[in-house]
Amino acid sequence: MSETWANSGVDLLLEVRGRRRRAGLEYALREAVRGGRLAPGTRLPSSRALAAELGMARNSVADAYGQLVAEGWLTARQGSGTTVADRSTPADGHAAALHPAHAAGRRAYDLTPGSPDLAGFPRSGWLAAARKALTAAPSRELGYPDPRGLPGLRESLAGYLARVRGVRTEPGRIIICSGFVQALNLLSVALRGRGAGAMAVESYGFGMHRDVIRAAGLATRPVTVDESGARIGELAGHRADGPAGALAAVLLTPAHQYPLGVALTASRRAEVLRWAGDSGGLVIEDDYDGEFRYDRRPLGALQGLAPGLVAYVGTASKSLAPGLSLAWLVLPPYLVDLLVETKRLSDGHTGVLEQLTLDEFIRSGAYDRHIRRSRLRYRRRRDRLVSVLAERSPDVAVTGIAAGLHAVLRLGRGLRQSDEAAIVSRAARAGLAIEGLGEYRYDGHPGCHADTATARRAGAGAAPGRGEPGRGEPGYGEPRRGGRRPGQDEPAALVAGYGSPPDHAFAGALEALCDVLG
């Protein structure tokens, strides 16, 4: 069979202009490389195939390739074909400007919160599950699925969440989402469509989540956090069926407040459910690290107490990896149809191959085994962090460590949140990536009480660090004498993600942290 554009192996779109065909081909290829359309390493069609596609003589194409190889635009190796050369100096500064983080390079040590140890991803187990799931999957499951997700995965998740997190649901009320951000966006868009005007959020939290809510057309209103969790009393008087701009929902991290690490107490759990029931509001439960508990019995999901009032969101971002972009949304019955339609109009469905693999991973027991191994590894890291800081930096109080993959380091020594940027910059110069607590504070809001209840030294109780307020004293978010500016004048703290570094880098990250803290 003759080699034509239909069976040439590598497709390449080129427009060759002018009567001098070889010169036109050289120009077209050169401009495609210079402009970035053909990236370094891109394999080009064989001279025979490209000649057939362009209606040119093969020798003309081969000569054009040879000229561009000589100029350094292309490389050619026997048996490997012709590829675009790696030109280390960009034609202009756009690439560096668009990706400044790439130009700056990565820090030697990473203690930024929000990620598990990506080197600990169960590659072999996930690959085995993917192979088994794809082999067994009926061909119809590779088509356009139900916007809610594959029935098998929703069934597996319903059983898993009931067993591990106390969630009460059925598969029909679960929607598989492309990560937590999409789940929050779907809820925000749906609530806005129902006439909602605002959503309450914790005074310390992930700024991107606030951006997602606002982008959907809702205002955000902060709720102060103290050692008992969010102050639910601040929601009093707000009703979902109120006038325009009514507050229709509250976003909480009740099992392990992010980033402070406190748990919402039983009395406040009951209080927020009463508010939702009386006002017609919705509680959105972000259970981002529900599997990782160390010093206390696991706290069941708030959703299990009132399935009709709570939208529960879980994710694989901490238990497996953020790159999977998998989350699950468990809805009250009255929101299911609305959210299914919102999901359909958003992206139609979440990736089927990832769903098939996660379903098999859960059913085979591999997910449970991975969680148990990870929990033990992260607990050892946490204990090591606490013991090293107790020895090297005794003024630092480590809090929020009964669960999760990060800790709050309250620095003491009279340092304030206004000092955090300088400390983070000093860490960056030492090759350590870490974040200040102030990065998570709601703009313009005083913040929260200090978390003294969960301070630990090597797993045992310890007094707060010097300069850290205790119970009953002015703390995060409390008025201070002398007219000090709220927020910026609160005690300084860092948020250290001990789950982030790979095992081989953890000791070095702790050493760098201690050097920065002094």
Side-chain angles (χ1 to χ4, degrees):
M1 180 184 295
S2 63
E3 192 171 17
T4 68
W5 67 269
N7 61 0
S8 61
V10 178
D11 288 340
L12 177 62
L13 177 63
L14 287 175
E15 185 176 357
V16 179
R17 298 178 179 179
R19 297 181 62 183
R20 299 176 59 195
R21 300 282 283 168
R22 173 187 156 182
L25 175 58
E26 290 175 11
Y27 178 82
L29 285 169
R30 193 181 292 114
E31 289 304 303
V33 175
R34 179 186 286 123
R37 188 166 69 85
L38 294 180
T42 300
R43 184 183 176 193
L44 300 183
S46 68
S47 58
R48 182 191 300 273
L50 189 58
E53 181 173 342
L54 297 177
M56 296 176 59
R58 181 183 177 187
N59 286 343
S60 297
V61 175
D63 289 344
Y65 275 1
Q67 178 63 32
L68 294 177
V69 168
E71 293 177 8
W73 296 100
L74 305 179
T75 60
R77 293 182 181 177
Q78 188 69 29
S80 299
T82 305
T83 59
V84 176
D86 183 5
R87 298 173 62 85
S88 58
T89 303
D92 55 41
H94 291 308
L98 289 173
H99 302 284
H102 294 171
R106 295 183 180 273
R107 306 296 180 200
Y109 301 109
D110 185 7
L111 287 177
T112 52
S115 175
D117 175 5
L118 299 179
F121 181 78
R123 294 171 185 256
S124 59
W126 187 261
L127 182 60
R131 184 180 295 111
K132 182 176 180 180
L134 194 56
T135 300
S139 297
R140 64 177 179 276
E141 292 200 338
L142 300 178
Y144 294 104
D146 185 328
R148 290 174 296 182
L150 297 181
L153 176 57
R154 290 187 283 118
E155 181 180 324
S156 294
L157 282 170
Y160 174 81
L161 294 174
R163 171 170 57 86
V164 175
R165 302 298 298 128
V167 171
R168 294 160 54 194
T169 188
E170 56 191 27
R173 292 198 286 115
I174 297 177
I175 295 179
I176 308 301
C177 300
S178 302
F180 176 85
V181 167
Q182 186 189 49
L184 180 59
N185 179 66
L186 295 177
L187 287 165
S188 300
V189 169
L191 290 171
R192 182 63 180 143
R194 286 167 55 92
M199 183 185 299
V201 296
E202 294 164 324
S203 58
Y204 275 76
F206 193 29
M208 184 180 181
H209 295 170
R210 298 191 288 267
D211 294 339
V212 169
I213 296 167
R214 293 165 184 160
L218 297 177
T220 56
R221 298 178 185 171
V223 177
T224 307
V225 179
D226 61 23
E227 67 275 7
S228 298
R231 290 180 173 173
I232 304 303
E234 295 179 9
L235 300 177
H238 293 287
R239 296 188 58 84
D241 56 359
L247 192 150
V250 57
L251 172 63
L252 298 175
T253 49
H256 187 229
Q257 202 281 332
Y258 189 81
L260 296 172
V262 298
L264 193 66
T265 60
S267 61
R268 290 194 179 173
R269 286 178 164 231
E271 188 178 5
V272 75
L273 294 179
R274 282 197 301 271
W275 170 80
D278 293 343
S279 69
L282 176 70
V283 180
I284 302 173
E285 179 177 12
D286 177 5
D287 195 32
Y288 66 99
D289 63 358
E291 291 91 349
F292 298 111
R293 296 291 179 270
Y294 309 122
D295 296 326
R296 65 185 183 213
R297 291 180 57 83
L299 294 174
L302 183 63
Q303 189 270 358
L305 302 176
L309 302 175
V310 179
Y312 172 94
V313 188
T315 174
S317 294
K318 304 298 183 293
S319 58
L320 288 169
L324 294 178
S325 293
L326 284 173
W328 35 94
L329 178 56
V330 181
L331 294 165
Y334 76 93
L335 281 177
V336 172
D337 290 344
L338 176 60
L339 265 293
V340 169
E341 179 63 8
T342 306
K343 168 70 173 175
R344 185 184 71 82
L345 296 176
S346 173
D347 65 349
H349 62 274
T350 297
V352 169
L353 298 183
E354 291 83 358
Q355 293 188 58
L356 287 169
T357 304
L358 181 59
D359 182 19
E360 173 60 29
F361 206 62
I362 293 173
R363 290 178 185 271
S364 68
Y367 189 64
D368 283 274
R369 292 191 294 272
H370 170 70
I371 292 296
R372 288 195 296 270
R373 288 192 301 267
S374 300
R375 187 186 296 129
L376 178 60
R377 185 169 74 254
Y378 292 135
R379 175 169 182 161
R380 288 171 175 167
R381 287 191 183 191
R382 181 209 63 171
D383 291 347
R384 179 62 178 159
L385 169 70
V386 172
S387 64
V388 167
L389 289 178
E391 177 182 351
R392 299 274 301 274
S393 302
D395 286 337
V396 175
V398 186
T399 69
I401 57 174
L405 305 179
H406 72 274
V408 176
L409 313 182
R410 302 194 182 274
L411 303 184
R413 293 176 289 183
L415 295 170
R416 321 307 299 176
Q417 268 192 14
S418 54
D419 299 314
E420 289 176 3
I423 298 169
V424 171
S425 294
R426 186 164 73 244
R429 290 193 296 272
L432 174 67
I434 197 167
E435 294 182 351
L437 180 60
E439 290 294 316
Y440 297 90
R441 183 171 55 85
Y442 191 101
D443 291 342
H445 191 272
C448 61
H449 273 298
D451 170 22
T452 61
T454 56
R456 297 288 187 273
R457 293 297 189 203
R466 190 171 65 207
E468 180 180 353
R471 290 179 181 268
E473 300 176 5
Y476 284 70
E478 288 297 283
R480 302 175 186 276
R481 294 184 178 89
R484 295 177 182 174
R485 182 184 175 190
Q488 289 293 309
D489 214 37
E490 292 167 356
L494 300 177
V495 185
Y498 56 82
S500 300
D503 286 337
H504 71 269
F506 187 61
L510 292 187
E511 184 68 24
L513 175 62
C514 291
D515 289 345
V516 169
L517 295 178

